[in-house]
Amino acid sequence: MIDRRLLAACAVFLLALLLPAFISGYGIRILNLALISAIAVIGLNFAFGYAGLITLAQAGFVGCGAYITAILSTTLGLSPWLSIPAAMVGAGVIAVVIGLPMLRLKGHYLALATLGFNVSFVIVATNWKSLMGGTDGISGIPALALPGWSLGTDHRYYYVVWVALAVATWCAWRIRNSHIGLAMIAVRDDEIATGAASVGVTRIKVQAFGLSAVYAGLAGALFAHMTNFVAPDDFALGHSIIYLAMLIIGGEGSILGAIAGAVIVTFMPELMRDLGTAYLIIFGGLMLLILIFLPKGLLSLAGIVGRRLKALSR
Amino acid sequence: MSQQFIQLVVSGLAVGAVYALVGLAFIMVNEATGVVNFATGQMVAIGCFLSVSTGIQMGLPLGPAYALALVAMALFGIVFYAVVFRPLQDRPVVTVIIGTVMIGIVIQNSALMTWGSVPFRPRSPFGRQVVDVFGAAISAHALFVIAVAFLMIGLLYGFIYRTAIGARMRAVAQDRDAARLMGISVDRMFVLTWVIAGLLTGAAGILVGPMWFADVNMGDPIALKAFAAIIIGGFSSVPGAIVGGILVGLAEMLGAAYISSAYKDGLVFLVMILFLLVRPQGIFGERIGQRA
Amino acid sequence: MGKKQLITRRTALTGMAAGAGITIYTPRLSAQSGEVAVGAMVPITGPFNVSGQQYHFSLQMAQDEINAKGGVAGKKLKIVFEDVKDSNSVAVNAYLKVVRDINPPLVFLSSYTTQNLATEPEVTKAMIPGMYAGGGDAMHMKKNPWLFRIRPHDGLQALALAKHATEGMGKKKIGIIYVQNDFGQPGAIAAEKVVKASGAEVVGTEAYAFTDNDMSAQLQKLKNAGADCLICISYGKDGALVLKLLKEMNIDIPVVISSGVMVPAARNLIAPDELAKVNGVMDAYLAPERGPDVAAYIKNFKDRFKVDPDPFGSCYYDGAWIMKQVMDKVGTDRTKIRDELKTVKDFKGVTNVFSTDELGNMVHSLAVFSIKPGTRDPVFIRTITA
């Protein structure tokens, strides 16, 4: 039986194909940013939504991906088509290396350790001027191109991001329903029980963590080739918190929720641009209200509304 | 050389004492209520700016200005309890973490709208007096910070371990349900905990103002160092927060002087991560909190 | 547990729906046919808004004065402001938004270098001339033909600091303290070169992080190294902290300090006795003594906004008048404006004299000040030209 939600997702994706025809460069840029964030948040969903790991390092891994592709494609002159996969692998490897010792920690200990990693990443990126450019960052990152056809404009790049998100979503869905995904959820649901059943709890956690970083690496690389510029500012701890907020707002443990959360949270500041400082007060307050009143995220709102409508039509 | 060393150690102690106060605010809240409060740094900033309002903008003498600011911080603790903690108290750790981060964003930007982005320079009760300690020039305010911080920590210690209310608070921290069965009003203890957190962060903010100026973005850097301090000292231990805070303060000063001024913060977080990996219970911790 | 909810789910959801309603309403600005609309990327809110406010004010004033004198290219000038806050991506988005909304012939960019570095690729794509005030040398190293800087660049500032310490004050043993970032680090390297070239010695170089609040270890080291003068490359608050610490630590050495500390908001953080041995550079010598135009500018600014103008923000006022001169001559064609901006020579503004060089830098001198004893008031010493 085909999952009904998957069908709905397919419809949304098809509609999305036609979208750029109606949107300006500015709107498309925000949309691209939203979809790129969605990839990072789908990744985060493995670590947090499935395996239950509280990680505040996702922006750090996005940064790893962005800097790896930036360095490879500028200093070393590698084609972006090669440097993007390298960024994914690189971010994943870094996550596995730091995850092996770190993932023995639980709860807020893990949150603080990953927070430490993210803060350290920014300190290193700010100070390692010769490799990472310091606060001046790395500029001149080439745009993607097909033979004889640049993908440098926001409208064309939209399709690159769109394909990447579609593939990422499909892979995530497959992984979710494979034994790896089920094992991750088992770890979250009852760590002690699965530990007794010797499924290799740490191995599964490292897998989830590494996978989330691979997604982050892809998001970072796509970001770098869109903006043509990276600086430490874009990967600071605050962004890790935003990624986590996106997932919780959308609905943790759900791929669609991850995408919805990323899109909503990316568009919100732009729509409320004219509110200035008050915007962040409203944003913080709204997030808090959602956490309090919709613990399962905004997707659960759809369910609530649906039931209401059914009750009314009866 | 030795004069330089004394100067750095006193500065390190003063900074460390502030981290210890903030760290204690974390620990009190976490032990009693199980909440990791990521808005603690913003509470420090509010404490500092309340003393700006009372001491500079209202022009009160420093004694009443500080007292009024602390009373306001105690009220702030109660508001925090009602608006943030109560609705989120039974939620998973991560929801609470994100919730406190969000309220931190609200607080910081409200402060920005209220006090503006131009920093203030609060007065110290000792003005800009400098005293001679074994040939080293030490600002009187730094000594004042150390004295007040330790006085507060001593009072808190006495309160928790020598009074009936303190015993009740400890009972709640150890086992909420058992405490409730014994007839202790758990909610009242929670309110009290948040009031204490407000007072500790408020004091830290008041003390830090004349040293570092009042700046609406001052909260997060202080909170991050206080995090590192309690992890090094021990997440659930009062002496741990003090020792951790002072270690971080000294490491910052001496690290900048003798190792590298650019990477000294990285150094602190490296030590923090090492502690998490090798000895997550910290120096003084007795148990690993698995309250996830 | 019988927990009482303070707010019910229903009221919360209603509130959220109302909030969403507000968000959907976005005013879409568009230029009317009788107007020339240009964009301005200003940090209106957020932690950068101290300098952003001056930038905002000086352009508002320029807009009204220019319109009183016939507008630009025979049409009314309208400056559309976008808030760039304190983040790179917000700045880029703001730029794309203003390009979409008004399709401007010229955009005033941010006064923060990293934001401009992030926006620069979009400027190239949009092919719209821009004027900016961020000092970072990395920006003109891009050699972007569309961008023009209307204040002295950081390298020039470092050169002025070093020249004044050595040639001006005759000091031989210089200690350098700087903020560890794109502003301080290259500045320290450039200053060190100039000091050495003048035959003086650099006895020590120390850095601190942007978020640091205590530089006593670094200052102590420089003192022990035997410095007879400090060059301090800092922003406002951190520079004020350095001067406060020097006094507290009884380190009685003259300091030559960068422009961030010399703006009124920062000087007010420093006690007069802490400023006693301080010399500082500023982008411009903005005082009534400079002439009737400058005096009128200062007076009008103060009358209208109730604060004194500072040299950082005022350069945008000059930028707007340069824009008027250019557009009056060549109209609103972007390429023509760019080519005309390249040829600006000896334009006398309230802050400086503007002449474009091959890197797009239009300003080539800055002013050195001491402080009047017992006050916080700067006293002009001299101008240093590249």
Side-chain angles (χ1 to χ4, degrees):
Chain A
M1 195 185 100
I2 301 168
D3 194 325
R4 213 199 263 160
R5 278 182 307 178
L6 189 70
L7 265 179
C10 288
V12 169
F13 272 126
L14 281 176
L15 271 178
L17 261 184
L18 300 169
L19 215 52
F22 308 105
I23 305 182
S24 71
Y26 160 71
I28 277 287
R29 164 60 67 97
I30 310 295
L31 191 57
N32 287 349
L33 280 172
L35 300 187
I36 289 172
S37 295
I39 294 173
V41 179
I42 293 174
L44 186 61
N45 191 36
F46 289 120
F48 174 64
Y50 297 161
L53 308 169
I54 305 176
T55 154
L56 290 171
Q58 193 69 348
F61 292 123
V62 173
C64 288
Y67 271 92
I68 289 171
T69 198
I71 293 164
L72 290 179
S73 61
T74 55
T75 321
L76 298 178
L78 204 65
S79 155
W81 297 111
L82 294 175
S83 66
I84 291 176
M88 295 166 66
V89 173
V93 168
I94 294 170
V96 169
V97 169
I98 68 159
L100 277 172
M102 240 184 219
L103 291 171
R104 288 178 299 142
L105 300 168
K106 298 190 181 85
H108 52 242
Y109 285 92
L110 180 61
L112 289 174
T114 49
L115 173 150
F117 167 76
N118 206 134
V119 172
S120 306
F121 172 81
V122 172
I123 292 176
V124 170
T126 310
N127 289 292
W128 194 352
K129 212 162 164 63
S130 56
L131 183 73
M132 303 174 80
T135 37
D136 276 351
I138 299 175
S139 46
I141 303 166
L144 288 175
L146 292 169
W149 209 57
S150 164
L151 298 168
T153 69
D154 285 319
H155 280 86
R156 289 180 187 171
Y157 201 68
Y158 169 79
Y159 290 101
V160 176
V161 176
W162 181 86
V163 168
L165 176 62
V167 172
T169 306
W170 183 76
C171 289
W173 185 70
R174 290 297 301 263
I175 294 169
R176 161 70 182 78
N177 294 313
S178 73
H179 66 280
I180 303 175
L182 296 173
M184 285 176 193
I185 293 169
V187 164
R188 177 191 64 184
D189 287 348
D190 197 346
E191 193 170 291
I192 296 154
T194 30
S198 73
V199 187
V201 170
T202 306
R203 204 194 67 211
I204 293 166
K205 283 186 181 175
V206 171
Q207 274 173 356
F209 198 59
L211 207 52
S212 78
V214 169
Y215 272 70
L218 174 61
L222 289 172
F223 176 81
H225 290 291
M226 177 176 73
T227 56
N228 313 112
F229 172 78
V230 293
D233 174 65
D234 290 309
F235 313 108
L237 178 63
H239 292 266
S240 282
I241 290 163
I242 295 287
Y243 288 132
L244 211 44
M246 286 171 171
L247 186 52
I248 294 173
I249 298 298
E252 62 180 271
S254 142
I255 298 169
L256 272 184
I259 299 172
V263 171
I264 291 166
V265 176
T266 310
F267 270 88
M268 228 151 90
E270 291 303 324
L271 294 175
M272 293 158 83
R273 185 172 258 288
D274 296 324
L275 296 178
T277 310
Y279 152 69
L280 277 170
I281 299 174
I282 295 171
F283 172 78
L286 269 180
M287 295 291 135
L288 196 63
L289 287 177
I290 291 174
L291 286 176
I292 293 173
F293 295 104
L294 291 170
K296 300 242 176 289
L298 280 177
L299 275 197
S300 66
L301 193 61
I304 295 172
V305 171
R307 277 196 299 279
R308 243 336 122 69
L309 287 178
K310 252 183 212 162
L312 282 178
S313 62
R314 221 172 270 152
Chain B
M1 173 60 211
S2 66
Q3 176 208 339
Q4 171 186 348
F5 189 75
I6 293 170
Q7 213 149 33
L8 293 176
V9 167
V10 174
S11 302
L13 283 174
V15 175
V18 172
Y19 295 156
L21 283 179
V22 181
L24 271 180
F26 269 122
I27 290 181
M28 287 293 297
V29 167
N30 182 49
E31 276 297 287
T33 67
V35 168
V36 187
N37 180 11
F38 274 73
T40 309
Q42 278 69 34
M43 290 172 72
V44 174
I46 292 291
C48 185
F49 271 97
L50 285 172
S51 77
V52 165
S53 281
T54 56
I56 300 178
Q57 292 168 335
M58 289 161 63
L60 295 177
L62 286 184
Y66 287 178
L68 199 59
L70 284 175
V71 169
M73 279 309 289
L75 292 174
F76 190 82
I78 296 173
V79 172
F80 202 98
Y81 162 83
V83 176
V84 184
F85 172 72
R86 234 183 115 85
L88 288 178
Q89 72 182 109
D90 297 317
R91 294 294 171 74
V93 179
V94 68
T95 308
V96 181
I97 289 179
I98 299 292
T100 58
V101 167
M102 288 306 154
I103 201 69
I105 292 175
V106 172
I107 295 173
Q108 183 165 339
N109 287 282
S110 306
L112 182 63
M113 285 187 95
T114 313
W115 287 286
S117 57
V118 181
F120 288 85
R121 181 172 178 175
R123 283 174 293 154
S124 158
F126 294 90
R128 294 184 298 120
Q129 215 171 314
V130 173
V131 283
D132 189 297
V133 181
F134 302 113
I138 306 287
S139 92
H141 187 79
L143 298 174
F144 173 66
V145 170
I146 298 170
V148 171
F150 281 100
L151 181 71
M152 284 202 65
I153 291 167
L155 285 176
L156 180 68
Y157 211 82
F159 176 75
I160 298 176
Y161 289 98
R162 296 273 181 276
T163 67
I165 302 179
R168 270 183 250 160
M169 284 185 73
R170 277 183 291 141
V172 171
Q174 257 162 24
D175 190 334
R176 208 177 284 181
D177 295 328
R180 189 172 282 122
L181 289 176
M182 286 163 65
I184 298 172
S185 164
V186 175
D187 281 339
R188 216 174 279 170
M189 292 303 120
F190 284 164
V191 175
L192 187 60
T193 307
W194 283 102
V195 167
I196 291 174
L199 290 175
L200 287 170
T201 50
I206 290 172
L207 291 174
V208 97
M211 281 202 291
W212 294 351
F213 304 159
D215 174 353
V216 286
N217 303 309
M218 67 195 289
D220 279 333
I222 295 177
L224 283 175
K225 297 285 172 56
F227 268 140
I230 51 178
I231 283 177
I232 293 168
F235 214 93
S236 51
S237 139
V238 173
I242 302 165
V243 172
I246 285 167
L247 279 180
V248 170
L250 287 176
E252 224 183 299
M253 288 300 143
L254 301 176
Y258 301 113
I259 302 172
S260 152
S261 45
Y263 277 100
K264 70 178 168 54
D265 285 2
L267 214 69
V268 169
F269 288 107
L270 190 73
V271 172
M272 177 189 105
I273 290 178
L274 283 180
F275 257 94
L276 276 169
L277 299 180
V278 179
R279 197 177 158 79
Q281 70 272 41
I283 299 173
F284 284 86
E286 294 114 11
R287 62 193 166 89
I288 298 186
Q290 293 203 348
R291 208 189 271 146
Chain C
M1 232 190 247
K3 198 172 44 165
K4 279 168 283 177
Q5 288 285 17
L6 293 174
I7 320 170
T8 65
R9 182 191 289 248
R10 179 189 291 229
T11 45
L13 289 179
T14 320
M16 272 184 252
I22 298 171
T23 65
I24 288 162
Y25 169 72
T26 42
R28 207 181 149 119
L29 309 151
S30 61
Q32 283 153 11
S33 51
E35 276 178 350
V36 174
V38 302
M41 312 282 102
V42 191
I44 298 172
T45 63
F48 291 172
N49 78 354
V50 187
S51 64
Q53 190 186 49
Q54 286 269 340
Y55 169 5
H56 198 178
F57 287 167
S58 79
L59 275 184
Q60 283 174 16
M61 206 162 105
Q63 171 183 288
D64 296 348
E65 289 183 13
I66 286 172
N67 281 334
K69 290 201 174 171
V72 292
K75 290 180 177 170
K76 193 166 168 250
L77 170 68
K78 182 183 167 67
I79 300 178
V80 175
F81 294 95
E82 280 294 339
D83 189 1
V84 294
K85 301 200 170 79
D86 61 338
S87 118
N88 297 342
S89 40
V90 173
V92 176
N93 295 344
Y95 184 79
L96 293 169
K97 179 168 190 291
V98 87
V99 169
R100 176 200 73 174
D101 284 348
I102 60 170
N103 195 20
L106 182 139
V107 175
F108 292 97
L109 295 181
S110 169
S111 43
Y112 286 87
T113 298
T114 320
Q115 290 187 333
N116 289 336
L117 284 169
T119 314
E120 190 260 348
E122 302 304 327
V123 174
T124 308
K125 285 182 207 163
M127 298 201 288
I128 299 173
M131 294 194 215
Y132 66 98
D137 291 12
M139 199 59 205
H140 66 225
M141 299 316 281
K142 297 258 151 294
K143 297 191 176 154
N144 189 318
W146 295 97
L147 292 177
F148 301 88
R149 170 160 25 216
I150 49 178
R151 61 166 288 222
H153 64 93
D154 291 347
L156 187 62
Q157 178 165 189
L159 175 126
L161 290 168
K163 261 193 175 174
H164 184 66
T166 52
E167 290 164 18
M169 300 166 71
K171 299 297 179 186
K172 293 283 171 221
K173 289 162 155 283
I174 311 288
I176 300 176
I177 181 160
Y178 65 95
V179 55
Q180 172 78 17
N181 66 8
D182 58 305
F183 167 55
Q185 204 178 31
I189 295 166
E192 187 166 356
K193 262 190 214 147
V194 177
V195 169
K196 283 180 177 161
S198 76
E201 185 193 350
V202 174
V203 295
T205 309
E206 291 294 329
Y208 59 85
F210 179 61
T211 49
D212 277 3
N213 290 305
D214 196 317
M215 305 86 175
S216 41
Q218 291 91 325
L219 295 172
Q220 190 65 253
K221 270 163 102 175
L222 291 173
K223 183 200 169 195
N224 292 349
D228 63 359
C229 177
L230 293 185
I231 291 178
C232 175
I233 305 175
S234 65
Y235 298 102
K237 182 187 151 199
D238 48 337
L241 281 167
V242 165
L243 296 179
K244 165 181 166 282
L245 282 168
L246 283 172
K247 185 77 191 170
E248 272 175 20
M249 297 165 74
N250 252 336
I251 302 179
D252 196 23
I253 309 175
V255 182
V256 184
I257 203 159
S258 51
S259 54
V261 187
M262 299 297 284
V263 299
R267 263 185 283 138
N268 286 335
L269 290 173
I270 314 168
D273 64 334
E274 291 163 350
L275 280 164
K277 286 200 161 183
V278 172
N279 285 5
V281 300
M282 271 200 269
D283 286 14
Y285 173 35
L286 205 60
E289 293 80 44
R290 282 256 325 281
D293 287 358
V294 182
Y297 169 75
I298 294 171
K299 184 178 179 300
N300 294 340
F301 194 102
K302 178 116 199 206
D303 286 349
R304 178 160 171 189
F305 303 111
K306 313 294 169 221
V307 287
D308 283 315
D310 77 23
F312 285 123
S314 300
C315 68
Y316 283 97
Y317 176 83
D318 288 336
W321 281 98
I322 295 172
M323 174 186 78
K324 172 174 164 63
Q325 178 183 303
V326 167
M327 285 186 183
D328 282 351
K329 189 170 168 197
V330 301
T332 54
D333 180 83
R334 291 165 177 176
T335 316
K336 282 185 188 156
I337 292 174
R338 178 196 69 181
D339 294 341
E340 190 62 25
L341 280 169
K342 280 184 182 165
T343 65
V344 169
K345 197 160 166 31
D346 296 330
F347 178 94
K348 286 189 183 52
V350 296
T351 57
N352 260 305
V353 176
F354 295 77
S355 300
T356 314
D357 70 6
E358 68 281 4
L359 293 173
N361 286 317
M362 301 181 93
V363 174
H364 309 281
S365 67
L366 14 74
V368 184
F369 296 83
S370 62
I371 303 289
K372 191 174 165 193
T375 70
R376 297 188 176 94
D377 303 331
V379 180
F380 177 69
I381 302 178
R382 64 176 181 145
T383 301
I384 293 182
T385 306

